[in-house]
Short mmCIF file of all heavy atoms in Angstrom, two decimals:
data_model
loop_
_atom_site.label_atom_id
_atom_site.label_comp_id
_atom_site.label_asym_id
_atom_site.label_seq_id
_atom_site.Cartn_x
_atom_site.Cartn_y
_atom_site.Cartn_z
N SER D 892 -81.37 39.58 -141.09
CA SER D 892 -80.96 40.77 -140.34
C SER D 892 -79.86 41.61 -141.02
O SER D 892 -79.75 42.83 -140.76
CB SER D 892 -80.43 40.32 -138.94
OG SER D 892 -79.34 39.59 -139.07
N LEU D 893 -79.04 41.03 -141.91
CA LEU D 893 -78.01 41.82 -142.63
C LEU D 893 -78.40 42.19 -144.01
O LEU D 893 -77.63 42.80 -144.74
CB LEU D 893 -76.76 40.91 -142.63
CG LEU D 893 -76.03 40.72 -141.33
CD1 LEU D 893 -74.93 39.83 -141.42
CD2 LEU D 893 -75.79 42.03 -140.57
N LYS D 894 -79.61 41.79 -144.43
CA LYS D 894 -80.01 42.10 -145.82
C LYS D 894 -80.18 43.56 -145.98
O LYS D 894 -80.84 44.25 -145.25
CB LYS D 894 -81.34 41.32 -146.12
CG LYS D 894 -81.77 41.35 -147.47
CD LYS D 894 -82.90 40.38 -147.71
CE LYS D 894 -83.21 40.26 -149.20
NZ LYS D 894 -84.30 39.44 -149.42
N ARG D 895 -79.65 44.06 -147.13
CA ARG D 895 -79.83 45.47 -147.48
C ARG D 895 -80.83 45.58 -148.62
O ARG D 895 -80.82 44.72 -149.50
CB ARG D 895 -78.54 46.08 -147.97
CG ARG D 895 -77.48 46.20 -146.79
CD ARG D 895 -76.18 46.59 -147.39
NE ARG D 895 -75.14 46.64 -146.41
CZ ARG D 895 -74.54 47.66 -145.91
NH1 ARG D 895 -74.89 48.82 -146.38
NH2 ARG D 895 -73.56 47.59 -145.01
N THR D 896 -81.65 46.55 -148.63
CA THR D 896 -82.59 46.75 -149.66
C THR D 896 -82.14 47.87 -150.54
O THR D 896 -81.87 48.99 -149.98
CB THR D 896 -84.03 46.94 -149.17
OG1 THR D 896 -84.00 48.02 -148.21
CG2 THR D 896 -84.62 45.76 -148.57
N PRO D 897 -82.00 47.62 -151.85
CA PRO D 897 -81.54 48.74 -152.73
C PRO D 897 -82.48 49.84 -152.69
O PRO D 897 -83.73 49.79 -152.64
CB PRO D 897 -81.57 48.09 -154.14
CG PRO D 897 -81.81 46.67 -153.96
CD PRO D 897 -82.37 46.47 -152.59
N SER D 898 -81.93 51.08 -152.84
CA SER D 898 -82.74 52.37 -152.76
C SER D 898 -82.87 52.81 -154.23
O SER D 898 -81.94 52.75 -155.05
CB SER D 898 -81.99 53.45 -151.90
OG SER D 898 -82.68 54.58 -152.03
N LYS D 899 -84.02 53.39 -154.54
CA LYS D 899 -84.31 53.99 -155.84
C LYS D 899 -83.94 55.46 -155.82
O LYS D 899 -83.98 56.21 -156.75
CB LYS D 899 -85.80 53.78 -156.19
CG LYS D 899 -86.22 52.36 -156.19
CD LYS D 899 -85.72 51.61 -157.40
CE LYS D 899 -86.31 50.26 -157.47
NZ LYS D 899 -85.47 49.19 -157.60
N LYS D 900 -83.63 55.97 -154.58
CA LYS D 900 -83.33 57.36 -154.35
C LYS D 900 -82.09 57.80 -155.07
O LYS D 900 -81.03 57.14 -154.99
CB LYS D 900 -83.27 57.57 -152.80
CG LYS D 900 -83.04 58.91 -152.34
CD LYS D 900 -82.91 58.91 -150.83
CE LYS D 900 -82.43 60.27 -150.32
NZ LYS D 900 -82.13 60.31 -148.96
N GLN D 901 -82.14 58.89 -155.70
CA GLN D 901 -80.94 59.40 -156.44
C GLN D 901 -80.58 60.83 -155.95
O GLN D 901 -79.62 61.36 -156.48
CB GLN D 901 -81.23 59.42 -157.99
CG GLN D 901 -81.30 58.01 -158.54
CD GLN D 901 -80.11 57.16 -158.32
OE1 GLN D 901 -79.02 57.65 -158.62
NE2 GLN D 901 -80.26 56.00 -157.90
N THR D 902 -81.38 61.36 -155.13
CA THR D 902 -81.02 62.72 -154.54
C THR D 902 -80.51 62.57 -153.14
O THR D 902 -80.75 61.55 -152.51
CB THR D 902 -82.33 63.66 -154.57
OG1 THR D 902 -83.30 63.01 -153.75
CG2 THR D 902 -82.82 63.89 -155.97
N GLY D 903 -79.90 63.62 -152.60
CA GLY D 903 -79.40 63.52 -151.27
C GLY D 903 -78.11 62.66 -151.30
O GLY D 903 -77.57 62.29 -152.23
N VAL D 904 -77.74 62.18 -150.04
CA VAL D 904 -76.55 61.29 -149.93
C VAL D 904 -76.91 60.02 -149.10
O VAL D 904 -76.32 59.05 -149.35
CB VAL D 904 -75.39 62.00 -149.33
CG1 VAL D 904 -74.86 63.14 -150.26
CG2 VAL D 904 -75.77 62.69 -147.93
N PHE D 905 -77.82 60.12 -148.16
CA PHE D 905 -78.07 58.97 -147.35
C PHE D 905 -79.02 57.97 -148.12
O PHE D 905 -80.05 58.32 -148.79
CB PHE D 905 -78.87 59.35 -146.07
CG PHE D 905 -77.91 59.94 -144.99
CD1 PHE D 905 -77.52 61.23 -145.12
CD2 PHE D 905 -77.45 59.14 -144.05
CE1 PHE D 905 -76.66 61.75 -144.23
CE2 PHE D 905 -76.62 59.68 -143.03
CZ PHE D 905 -76.18 61.00 -143.17
N GLY D 906 -78.62 56.71 -148.16
CA GLY D 906 -79.36 55.70 -148.96
C GLY D 906 -79.00 55.67 -150.34
O GLY D 906 -79.69 54.99 -151.17
N VAL D 907 -78.15 56.44 -150.82
CA VAL D 907 -77.75 56.51 -152.21
C VAL D 907 -76.39 55.83 -152.44
O VAL D 907 -75.53 55.96 -151.53
CB VAL D 907 -77.58 58.04 -152.78
CG1 VAL D 907 -77.27 58.09 -154.25
CG2 VAL D 907 -78.98 58.70 -152.60
N LYS D 908 -76.26 55.13 -153.56
CA LYS D 908 -74.95 54.40 -153.83
C LYS D 908 -73.79 55.39 -153.73
O LYS D 908 -73.93 56.48 -154.26
CB LYS D 908 -74.99 53.81 -155.21
CG LYS D 908 -75.74 52.51 -155.30
CD LYS D 908 -75.53 51.90 -156.71
CE LYS D 908 -76.03 50.51 -156.80
NZ LYS D 908 -75.80 49.83 -158.00
N ILE D 909 -72.77 54.94 -153.10
CA ILE D 909 -71.61 55.83 -152.89
C ILE D 909 -70.97 56.23 -154.21
O ILE D 909 -70.56 57.40 -154.45
CB ILE D 909 -70.56 55.11 -151.95
CG1 ILE D 909 -69.55 56.22 -151.41
CG2 ILE D 909 -69.85 54.09 -152.77
CD1 ILE D 909 -68.78 55.65 -150.29
N SER D 910 -71.06 55.42 -155.28
CA SER D 910 -70.62 55.84 -156.64
C SER D 910 -71.39 56.90 -157.18
O SER D 910 -70.79 57.82 -157.85
CB SER D 910 -70.58 54.60 -157.55
OG SER D 910 -71.86 54.00 -157.70
N VAL D 911 -72.70 56.96 -156.97
CA VAL D 911 -73.55 57.97 -157.49
C VAL D 911 -73.19 59.33 -156.75
O VAL D 911 -73.13 60.40 -157.40
CB VAL D 911 -75.05 57.64 -157.26
CG1 VAL D 911 -76.00 58.80 -157.56
CG2 VAL D 911 -75.44 56.44 -158.07
N VAL D 912 -73.07 59.30 -155.43
CA VAL D 912 -72.67 60.43 -154.66
C VAL D 912 -71.38 61.02 -155.05
O VAL D 912 -71.32 62.25 -155.27
CB VAL D 912 -72.84 60.15 -153.18
CG1 VAL D 912 -72.30 61.36 -152.30
CG2 VAL D 912 -74.15 59.76 -152.76
N THR D 913 -70.34 60.14 -155.19
CA THR D 913 -69.03 60.67 -155.54
C THR D 913 -68.98 61.24 -156.88
O THR D 913 -68.26 62.20 -157.22
CB THR D 913 -67.96 59.54 -155.34
OG1 THR D 913 -68.34 58.44 -156.09
CG2 THR D 913 -67.78 59.21 -153.88
N LYS D 914 -69.71 60.62 -157.90
CA LYS D 914 -69.76 61.15 -159.21
C LYS D 914 -70.42 62.47 -159.25
O LYS D 914 -69.95 63.41 -159.87
CB LYS D 914 -70.55 60.16 -160.08
CG LYS D 914 -70.55 60.58 -161.58
CD LYS D 914 -71.19 59.54 -162.41
CE LYS D 914 -71.17 59.86 -163.87
NZ LYS D 914 -71.87 58.92 -164.75
N ARG D 915 -71.60 62.60 -158.55
CA ARG D 915 -72.27 63.93 -158.39
C ARG D 915 -71.46 65.02 -157.83
O ARG D 915 -71.48 66.14 -158.24
CB ARG D 915 -73.61 63.75 -157.66
CG ARG D 915 -74.46 64.92 -157.65
CD ARG D 915 -75.64 64.83 -156.71
NE ARG D 915 -76.27 63.53 -156.59
CZ ARG D 915 -76.56 62.95 -155.45
NH1 ARG D 915 -76.31 63.62 -154.33
NH2 ARG D 915 -77.16 61.80 -155.43
N GLU D 916 -70.69 64.69 -156.78
CA GLU D 916 -69.85 65.57 -156.04
C GLU D 916 -68.48 65.84 -156.70
O GLU D 916 -67.72 66.63 -156.27
CB GLU D 916 -69.73 65.17 -154.57
CG GLU D 916 -70.89 65.22 -153.86
CD GLU D 916 -70.77 64.66 -152.39
OE1 GLU D 916 -69.66 64.26 -151.99
OE2 GLU D 916 -71.70 64.76 -151.66
N ARG D 917 -68.19 65.00 -157.75
CA ARG D 917 -66.86 65.02 -158.39
C ARG D 917 -65.77 64.94 -157.40
O ARG D 917 -64.81 65.70 -157.35
CB ARG D 917 -66.68 66.33 -159.19
CG ARG D 917 -67.64 66.44 -160.32
CD ARG D 917 -67.39 67.61 -161.20
NE ARG D 917 -68.34 67.61 -162.32
CZ ARG D 917 -69.17 68.58 -162.52
NH1 ARG D 917 -69.27 69.54 -161.69
NH2 ARG D 917 -70.04 68.54 -163.52
N SER D 918 -65.91 63.86 -156.56
CA SER D 918 -64.90 63.67 -155.50
C SER D 918 -64.81 62.14 -155.23
O SER D 918 -65.69 61.41 -155.50
CB SER D 918 -65.34 64.37 -154.22
OG SER D 918 -64.62 63.96 -153.07
N LYS D 919 -63.74 61.62 -154.75
CA LYS D 919 -63.47 60.23 -154.47
C LYS D 919 -64.11 59.93 -153.09
O LYS D 919 -64.40 58.67 -152.81
CB LYS D 919 -62.00 59.86 -154.45
CG LYS D 919 -61.40 59.98 -155.85
CD LYS D 919 -60.01 59.44 -155.74
CE LYS D 919 -59.45 59.47 -157.22
NZ LYS D 919 -58.11 58.90 -157.26
N ILE D 920 -64.27 60.87 -152.24
CA ILE D 920 -64.86 60.67 -150.93
C ILE D 920 -66.09 61.57 -150.74
O ILE D 920 -65.93 62.75 -150.93
CB ILE D 920 -63.82 60.93 -149.79
CG1 ILE D 920 -62.63 59.98 -149.99
CG2 ILE D 920 -64.45 60.69 -148.46
CD1 ILE D 920 -61.46 60.40 -149.15
N PRO D 921 -67.25 61.01 -150.36
CA PRO D 921 -68.38 61.82 -150.21
C PRO D 921 -68.15 62.99 -149.21
O PRO D 921 -67.53 62.82 -148.18
CB PRO D 921 -69.55 60.89 -149.73
CG PRO D 921 -69.04 59.53 -150.14
CD PRO D 921 -67.52 59.61 -150.11
N TYR D 922 -68.76 64.11 -149.47
CA TYR D 922 -68.65 65.29 -148.53
C TYR D 922 -69.11 64.98 -147.13
O TYR D 922 -68.37 65.39 -146.19
CB TYR D 922 -69.65 66.34 -149.17
CG TYR D 922 -69.54 67.70 -148.37
CD1 TYR D 922 -68.40 68.47 -148.48
CD2 TYR D 922 -70.64 68.10 -147.56
CE1 TYR D 922 -68.40 69.65 -147.71
CE2 TYR D 922 -70.59 69.29 -146.92
CZ TYR D 922 -69.49 70.16 -146.95
OH TYR D 922 -69.44 71.29 -146.30
N VAL D 923 -70.17 64.22 -146.89
CA VAL D 923 -70.58 63.84 -145.59
C VAL D 923 -69.43 63.09 -144.85
O VAL D 923 -69.25 63.37 -143.62
CB VAL D 923 -71.95 62.98 -145.68
CG1 VAL D 923 -71.83 61.69 -146.35
CG2 VAL D 923 -72.42 62.78 -144.20
N VAL D 924 -68.77 62.22 -145.46
CA VAL D 924 -67.72 61.38 -144.89
C VAL D 924 -66.57 62.35 -144.54
O VAL D 924 -66.02 62.39 -143.43
CB VAL D 924 -67.26 60.26 -145.74
CG1 VAL D 924 -66.02 59.51 -145.17
CG2 VAL D 924 -68.40 59.33 -145.97
N ARG D 925 -66.19 63.18 -145.49
CA ARG D 925 -65.04 64.09 -145.26
C ARG D 925 -65.30 65.05 -144.15
O ARG D 925 -64.42 65.21 -143.27
CB ARG D 925 -64.75 64.90 -146.60
CG ARG D 925 -64.06 64.21 -147.62
CD ARG D 925 -63.50 65.12 -148.77
NE ARG D 925 -64.31 66.20 -149.08
CZ ARG D 925 -65.28 66.31 -150.04
NH1 ARG D 925 -65.44 65.15 -150.77
NH2 ARG D 925 -65.89 67.33 -150.34
N GLN D 926 -66.46 65.63 -144.09
CA GLN D 926 -66.76 66.67 -143.06
C GLN D 926 -66.85 66.03 -141.72
O GLN D 926 -66.38 66.56 -140.70
CB GLN D 926 -68.00 67.47 -143.36
CG GLN D 926 -67.88 68.30 -144.58
CD GLN D 926 -66.70 69.24 -144.42
OE1 GLN D 926 -66.46 69.90 -143.43
NE2 GLN D 926 -65.86 69.33 -145.51
N CYS D 927 -67.55 64.82 -141.60
CA CYS D 927 -67.75 64.25 -140.30
C CYS D 927 -66.34 63.69 -139.75
O CYS D 927 -66.00 63.99 -138.51
CB CYS D 927 -68.71 63.04 -140.38
SG CYS D 927 -70.44 63.53 -140.56
N VAL D 928 -65.52 63.12 -140.64
CA VAL D 928 -64.29 62.66 -140.21
C VAL D 928 -63.38 63.79 -139.77
O VAL D 928 -62.71 63.70 -138.76
CB VAL D 928 -63.56 61.77 -141.37
CG1 VAL D 928 -62.13 61.51 -140.94
CG2 VAL D 928 -64.26 60.44 -141.50
N GLU D 929 -63.38 64.83 -140.53
CA GLU D 929 -62.60 66.00 -140.17
C GLU D 929 -62.97 66.58 -138.85
O GLU D 929 -62.10 66.93 -138.06
CB GLU D 929 -62.81 67.08 -141.33
CG GLU D 929 -61.87 68.29 -141.11
CD GLU D 929 -62.09 69.31 -142.25
OE1 GLU D 929 -61.80 68.88 -143.41
OE2 GLU D 929 -62.47 70.40 -142.00
N GLU D 930 -64.25 66.67 -138.57
CA GLU D 930 -64.77 67.19 -137.34
C GLU D 930 -64.36 66.27 -136.13
O GLU D 930 -63.92 66.73 -135.08
CB GLU D 930 -66.25 67.41 -137.24
CG GLU D 930 -66.72 68.33 -136.28
CD GLU D 930 -66.26 69.84 -136.39
OE1 GLU D 930 -65.97 70.26 -137.60
OE2 GLU D 930 -66.09 70.51 -135.37
N VAL D 931 -64.49 64.96 -136.33
CA VAL D 931 -64.10 63.94 -135.33
C VAL D 931 -62.59 64.09 -135.03
O VAL D 931 -62.16 64.06 -133.83
CB VAL D 931 -64.56 62.55 -135.71
CG1 VAL D 931 -63.90 61.49 -134.87
CG2 VAL D 931 -66.05 62.41 -135.67
N GLU D 932 -61.78 64.22 -136.02
CA GLU D 932 -60.32 64.27 -135.87
C GLU D 932 -60.00 65.51 -135.19
O GLU D 932 -59.12 65.65 -134.42
CB GLU D 932 -59.61 64.21 -137.22
CG GLU D 932 -59.57 62.81 -137.77
CD GLU D 932 -58.86 62.66 -139.11
OE1 GLU D 932 -58.49 63.72 -139.69
OE2 GLU D 932 -58.65 61.52 -139.48
N LYS D 933 -60.73 66.66 -135.43
CA LYS D 933 -60.48 68.00 -134.89
C LYS D 933 -60.82 68.02 -133.30
O LYS D 933 -60.12 68.49 -132.55
CB LYS D 933 -61.15 69.07 -135.66
CG LYS D 933 -60.80 70.41 -135.26
CD LYS D 933 -61.56 71.63 -136.03
CE LYS D 933 -62.32 71.18 -137.22
NZ LYS D 933 -63.12 72.29 -137.69
N ARG D 934 -62.02 67.50 -133.04
CA ARG D 934 -62.60 67.70 -131.69
C ARG D 934 -62.79 66.35 -130.85
O ARG D 934 -62.97 66.46 -129.67
CB ARG D 934 -63.99 68.43 -131.73
CG ARG D 934 -63.94 69.77 -132.26
CD ARG D 934 -65.30 70.48 -132.00
NE ARG D 934 -66.39 69.90 -132.78
CZ ARG D 934 -67.53 69.49 -132.24
NH1 ARG D 934 -67.81 69.74 -130.95
NH2 ARG D 934 -68.48 69.02 -132.98
N GLY D 935 -62.77 65.25 -131.58
CA GLY D 935 -63.18 64.00 -130.84
C GLY D 935 -62.16 62.95 -130.64
O GLY D 935 -62.34 61.92 -130.11
N ILE D 936 -60.91 63.34 -131.07
CA ILE D 936 -59.87 62.28 -131.08
C ILE D 936 -59.52 61.86 -129.75
O ILE D 936 -59.09 60.76 -129.51
CB ILE D 936 -58.60 62.81 -131.81
CG1 ILE D 936 -57.92 61.66 -132.47
CG2 ILE D 936 -57.82 63.64 -131.06
CD1 ILE D 936 -58.56 61.03 -133.63
N ASP D 937 -59.72 62.72 -128.67
CA ASP D 937 -59.40 62.30 -127.29
C ASP D 937 -60.65 61.86 -126.47
O ASP D 937 -60.53 61.53 -125.41
CB ASP D 937 -58.81 63.50 -126.54
CG ASP D 937 -57.49 63.84 -127.02
OD1 ASP D 937 -56.71 62.89 -127.53
OD2 ASP D 937 -57.12 65.10 -127.10
N GLU D 938 -61.85 61.74 -127.23
CA GLU D 938 -63.03 61.24 -126.52
C GLU D 938 -63.00 59.69 -126.39
O GLU D 938 -62.51 58.97 -127.26
CB GLU D 938 -64.24 61.62 -127.48
CG GLU D 938 -64.64 63.00 -127.49
CD GLU D 938 -65.27 63.50 -126.18
OE1 GLU D 938 -66.00 62.75 -125.57
OE2 GLU D 938 -65.01 64.69 -125.86
N VAL D 939 -63.39 59.26 -125.32
CA VAL D 939 -63.51 57.83 -124.97
C VAL D 939 -64.69 57.31 -125.65
O VAL D 939 -65.84 57.73 -125.44
CB VAL D 939 -63.40 57.57 -123.50
CG1 VAL D 939 -63.62 56.02 -123.16
CG2 VAL D 939 -62.25 58.07 -122.81
#
């Protein structure tokens, strides 16, 4: 149930190794993580 299957996908961000995404984006944190966290901190911090 916890087994992960490696992805051969090299495009996009979902299912791609985080090191590949950060290298491609030239950033230590993937854009998807930065944007989602920023939006949650901006609008969702008081959500239960």
Side-chain angles (χ1 to χ4, degrees):
S892 65
L893 296 178
K894 189 173 187 177
R895 294 174 186 246
T896 50
S898 174
K899 305 284 187 235
K900 182 179 170 189
Q901 293 300 310
T902 59
V904 293
F905 283 80
V907 178
K908 282 186 171 186
I909 200 165
S910 59
V911 171
V912 174
T913 55
K914 185 176 181 181
R915 184 185 328 130
E916 294 178 355
R917 295 185 180 117
S918 172
K919 290 184 178 184
I920 301 169
Y922 182 72
V923 60
V924 173
R925 286 194 321 268
Q926 292 306 314
C927 288
V928 168
E929 186 177 300
E930 200 64 31
V931 167
E932 286 181 351
K933 190 181 345 173
R934 295 191 296 130
I936 208 72
D937 293 326
E938 290 285 325
V939 176

